[in-house]
Amino acid sequence: TIIGTPTLAGDYVFRMGTNYYSIHIAKIPMDVKINDVDKTKVYGYPNPAFRIQYSGFINGENEQTMSFQNSLVLPTVTCEADEHTPVGAVPIELADGSSANYEFRYEESALSITPRNLKITKMTSVPRSFQATADESQFEAEGLVTGDHVTLSFDVVYPESLTEGAKTVQIQNVVITDKNEGGNYKLLSAPTSAEGMVDSRQITGIELTAQPK
């Protein structure tokens, strides 16, 4: 006689008359992965929550079913990325979770880190050169992560008569170089012109007009 019905996976022994029999109830395979919306972030921001998604439930169960919740050991989530990890892909590892009735199968995944928008708002110095560069000490920007070093490259178009005094110069072809942390940024807007005082060495005190690139 079999009394009761096993509800959890495992090994059981039952009796029929004077004979004893064993039965094995196997766990159901379950796919476990990181929610797709938590697999991407912008450079310079904290990591997403790394919410876990389960698929493969049977018998009408879901993540909120009491029998699943009561036996669930949450998988650990490991990702070595932080706010200063460069643009690219960083592995996300799932491990050590378990459930009474389900055998976890972990899906390989990675955190995709995308470039951060950088908007140039003001420059304090532009070298007297047709092809110029400026680092973060020579401009102000929105979106620059504290401690990062970024270099701009751009062309300067001077007036035909470059006497000392207030002049308007054109700023063209502004790009962020790959030097230092530059590869982690995308230029959102760039200057097109500047008003400043011209002396024998450089244009100083430049106020730039930022236009969408």
Side-chain angles (χ1 to χ4, degrees):
T1 302
I2 302 176
I3 301 175
T5 300
T7 58
L8 299 177
D11 294 305
Y12 297 89
V13 176
F14 64 93
R15 186 182 67 183
M16 294 184 68
T18 59
N19 297 319
Y20 290 85
Y21 301 88
S22 62
I23 183 172
H24 174 74
I25 301 177
K27 291 186 177 185
I28 300 297
M30 171 170 281
D31 294 324
V32 182
K33 68 174 186 177
I34 296 298
N35 195 304
D36 288 342
V37 299
D38 288 339
K39 292 180 182 178
T40 183
K41 75 163 187 171
V42 175
Y43 169 77
Y45 285 94
N47 290 345
F50 293 138
R51 289 165 291 185
I52 299 173
Q53 181 177 330
Y54 305 90
S55 60
F57 289 101
I58 63 170
N59 298 331
E61 292 185 330
N62 56 49
E63 292 183 26
Q64 305 306 318
T65 302
M66 192 63 67
S67 59
F68 178 72
Q69 286 291 327
N70 287 343
S71 67
L72 175 63
V73 176
L74 284 171
T76 59
V77 182
T78 304
C79 182
E80 299 298 328
D82 60 23
E83 290 88 337
H84 297 283
T85 302
V87 166
V90 182
I92 305 172
E93 296 182 0
L94 288 164
D96 300 330
S98 65
S99 173
N101 291 330
Y102 297 95
E103 187 71 36
F104 289 168
R105 301 184 302 192
Y106 297 119
E107 178 183 283
E108 293 185 2
S109 59
L111 176 66
S112 176
I113 304 175
T114 60
R116 184 184 183 95
N117 287 335
L118 188 69
K119 179 180 179 181
I120 309 303
T121 58
K122 181 180 180 180
M123 295 187 70
T124 57
S125 178
V126 176
R128 285 285 300 273
S129 174
F130 291 105
Q131 291 183 327
T133 60
D135 62 29
E136 71 282 351
S137 68
Q138 298 170 284
F139 64 82
E140 296 177 5
E142 296 177 2
L144 186 64
V145 175
T146 302
D148 275 4
H149 301 287
V150 173
T151 300
L152 302 177
S153 174
F154 52 92
D155 297 332
V156 182
V157 180
Y158 295 93
E160 292 183 3
S161 176
L162 195 60
T163 57
E164 291 191 8
K167 296 292 180 182
T168 298
V169 297
Q170 301 298 313
I171 307 296
Q172 300 179 353
N173 304 322
V174 181
V175 297
I176 302 172
T177 72
D178 289 333
K179 185 178 179 181
N180 297 317
E181 287 79 32
N184 298 318
Y185 292 88
K186 180 176 68 175
L187 191 62
L188 181 63
S189 62
T192 58
S193 64
E195 296 290 337
M197 296 298 296
V198 178
D199 62 22
S200 59
R201 293 166 297 173
Q202 64 180 4
I203 304 171
T204 60
I206 300 297
E207 292 286 344
L208 295 177
T209 303
Q211 299 290 339
K213 198 172 170 62

